[in-house]
Amino acid sequence: MKRFVLRVVGWFALALLAGCANVQPWERAYLARPEMAFDADPSEARLMRHTYQSKEAAAGGYGVGGGGCGCN
Amino acid sequence: MASKRLRPLLLLVALLTGGAARAEISPLADTPLVPLAGTQPSVEARALRGKVVYVDFWASWCVPCRASFPWLEEMHRKYREQGLVVLGVNKDQEFGGVEKFLARYPATFSLVQDPGDKLAKGFAVRGMPSAYLIDRRGNVRHTHVGFRQDSTAELERVVVELLKENAT
Amino acid sequence: MQLAAPPVCAGQIEEMSAGVKYYRFKESDGRMAVVAPMAWVRGSVAEQWDIDASSMVDTLSGASQQYVSNRGGQIVHALSSASIRESRREQALKLTRWFGDDSVGLGWSLSEEHDYRSETFALDTRFERHDKNVTLAFGVSGSRDIIGATGKPDLRETRSTHAYFAGITQVLSPTAIVQGNLEIVDGHGYYDDPYKYTMTFLGARPTIQYDQRPETRRGAALLLRYREFLPRLDAALAADFRHYRDSWGIRSLMFDVSWHQNFEQGWSLRPSLRYYEQGAADFYAPTFAASVATGSSDARLGAFGAWSAGVKLRKVFDNGHSVDLSAGVYRQKASWRLFGAGSAELPDYRSRFLMAGWQMAF
């Protein structure tokens, strides 16, 4: 499993270096839309994940997320 | 772009000649103002001379803007006579949201569009909302990114200070 | 085990919102039924501070799998004869402090039922870089579980779990954003299910294997998430992919896709489809000829594939209130596993759910 984790870290490093588009703060109208959030309805996500976890062995990965609007 | 390179040079000249040259000229001087469709009053760049201008970049999708608008309206009413012009620069890409926003958070101050992002790029906007306070001589004197209730006291203080200054 | 839910928007939320959810879940063949109302409040409470609090009560009723037997040559997952009625309470609270665009959050959650208690503390931070085009998130959490069992008053075991999280979110364009997260979970303690056992008949008298699992479990989950808005269609596509593996030998894949379609007057419809599969744990078996130190026939540790489909209808009103209604079905089948063999003897599993919600912003 150590190799798996190292490989994943390697991918992340590459992704970080690659960089992507630089979207300006005022161009975030679409990204700010509630349906574009990673967990648009956190309560619903919580309930659904709880149900899946009671019937499945795998879980996790959701932690904390970013993105969204350019607001301050 | 050339004016950006000239600015540090102008600043140097200003320092050497004791302020005879202008520094940090706001992008408003170069850009024509396009009113936001269906809003009053329209404003012309000429009318801004000698006034203190509060430029606010906003959008209907920006959550802190909902709190800023009532306060901006209050500033507009309070200091208009003394020479404050509040200029709301809208950055929406689609205008459906703007109508709804203005219905809930009405504004009697001037609202303009920013086609080609000239103003946003000229002011180097780094977050939404962004406020730029311009003095009577056309220089950007204060910037503020974001909006929270604790920002208002300081912003109002700067407005009052700038209004006290002369136009020359 | 997951860290507390994040705020919807990057950057401090200016508005407070509150809502309730009502959730009903029912398994096929008269098994479990769950009714779970939930209430929540979230938003900015002071300059630089956000709060996120929720509380829910699950009421479970019905029968659950108790033992697995091969009597008569066929593997049977027998349900317990007693029909239970239990309730579980869960509360969660998270406080976030903002430093410009970056934040630090402290979360707590507690889940309690008569034979199980789990408490978690979590710390997470978020950093926005490149004009918020890149978000880095890190988190750690620790949980302590206390496990008992009805009918076994002497049973009081504990388990402690730590989770480590790192995630990166990258804006791809004005309409698309992607996120990659890695979560590592490390647990020690009691993992057995004190209610389950397996009876293996080779002759007249069965060998009994009690559900016994290793005392440690280490797992890693890699989650990739994609969101794209299509302005011409006024719709958003969401796609999540997760790969999971752990020290029990379980490997799993998950694909979850949904399409959020906006309509006039604040209406929206969101159909969704999910595929999940897992391989069996090393110590999983449907029969045990002789009892072993670690062995379990729990269906949750077997190999299977599962599909679920759902749809959500929502209406947002001009005053900031919204209501939503969702329904969906879930089905597990050993033969549905696409990337490997399934545990053939596992019975099919079916369930359905209904969820209704209301929220308001103030």
Side-chain angles (χ1 to χ4, degrees), chain A residues 1 6 15 19 35 43 62:
Chain A
M1 200 177 78
L6 284 172
E35 61 266 29
S43 314
Y62 295 97

Side-chain angles (χ1 to χ4, degrees), chain A residues 1 4-5 7-9 11-12 15-16 19-25 27-72, chain C residues 1-2 9-10 21 23 25 27 38 40 42 56 88 90 92 101 124 126 130-133 135 165 168-175 177 179-181 183 217 223 225 227-229 234 242-244 250 252 254 260 262 270 274 276 278 300 308 312 330 332 349 353:
Chain A
M1 200 177 78
F4 169 74
V5 172
R7 255 188 287 162
V8 168
V9 171
W11 292 344
F12 275 135
L16 202 54
C20 284
N22 202 44
V23 170
Q24 300 290 359
E27 293 176 310
R28 301 186 74 117
Y30 299 126
L31 298 171
R33 300 189 70 122
E35 61 266 29
M36 283 293 285
F38 287 101
D39 277 329
D41 189 341
S43 314
E44 171 194 72
R46 206 191 177 100
L47 284 163
M48 296 305 295
R49 278 172 212 154
H50 182 73
T51 307
Y52 293 133
Q53 270 175 259
S54 72
K55 283 285 159 257
E56 298 170 353
Y62 295 97
V64 184
C69 65
C71 313
N72 288 279
Chain C
M1 212 260 19
Q2 74 181 66
C9 186
K21 279 261 188 259
Y23 178 72
F25 167 83
E27 296 184 339
M38 175 198 251
W40 54 268
R42 130 177 14 115
M56 74 181 211
R88 184 184 76 93
E90 187 177 315
D101 288 333
D124 69 87
R126 271 169 50 172
H130 301 307
D131 277 340
K132 296 166 90 159
N133 279 284
T135 309
F165 175 93
I168 179 168
T169 306
Q170 173 81 62
V171 170
L172 297 176
S173 76
T175 53
I177 188 167
Q179 179 178 110
N181 302 328
E183 184 170 354
R217 185 178 191 181
L223 181 68
R225 315 184 78 179
R227 301 286 179 272
E228 181 173 345
F229 189 76
D234 198 4
R242 180 182 64 198
H243 173 54
Y244 170 93
I250 298 170
S252 136
M254 181 205 78
H260 179 111
N262 288 308
R270 194 202 68 195
R274 177 182 185 269
Y276 173 87
Q278 67 181 48
R300 292 187 306 182
S308 52
K312 179 180 183 179
Y330 177 92
Q332 250 182 36
Y349 170 83
F353 80 87

